[in-house]
Amino acid sequence: MVAAASAERFARARRLLDDYSARFATSDGQRSRRTATGIDPLDAALGGGLPRGALCELVAERAGLGALSLALRLAWSAVVAGGGGRR
């Protein structure tokens, strides 16, 4: 039962990632510029990172520090990449 639920969650996540990749492709089929998150498995799943200039939503299955840690890591990656606001 648990394996079936995990498989369904994985399949749903894969469909969401495929939809995400399709929506952020450029007119010539290439992916838009990306900002790496610094988390290699996540960057690979997202096709190189988060699309620059796009609004992204972070959703966690349950409350905890994991989502906050990820959000802080993403913010730090944006600062390092030059998206840190005023200079």
Side-chain angles (χ1 to χ4, degrees), residues 35-39 42-43 46 50 56 58 67-80:
T35 298
T37 65
I39 303 168
L42 181 58
D43 289 338
L46 295 174
L50 296 170
C56 298
L58 177 62
L68 177 60
S69 296
L70 177 59
L72 291 172
R73 180 68 175 117
L74 296 173
W76 178 249
S77 293
V79 169
V80 170

Side-chain angles (χ1 to χ4, degrees), residues 4-75:
S6 294
E8 177 54 35
R9 261 189 271 163
F10 179 80
R12 183 173 180 265
R14 183 75 255 168
R15 287 190 304 270
L16 289 171
L17 284 172
D18 290 343
D19 178 57
Y20 174 87
S21 294
R23 285 191 292 147
F24 291 103
T26 60
S27 60
D28 61 0
Q30 298 296 314
R31 292 196 175 156
S32 61
R33 286 187 357 162
R34 306 271 174 171
T35 298
T37 65
I39 303 168
D40 293 337
L42 181 58
D43 289 338
L46 295 174
L50 296 170
R52 288 188 180 193
L55 179 63
C56 298
E57 182 178 6
L58 177 62
V59 179
E61 188 172 335
R62 61 179 187 245
L65 293 177
L68 177 60
S69 296
L70 177 59
L72 291 172
R73 180 68 175 117
L74 296 173

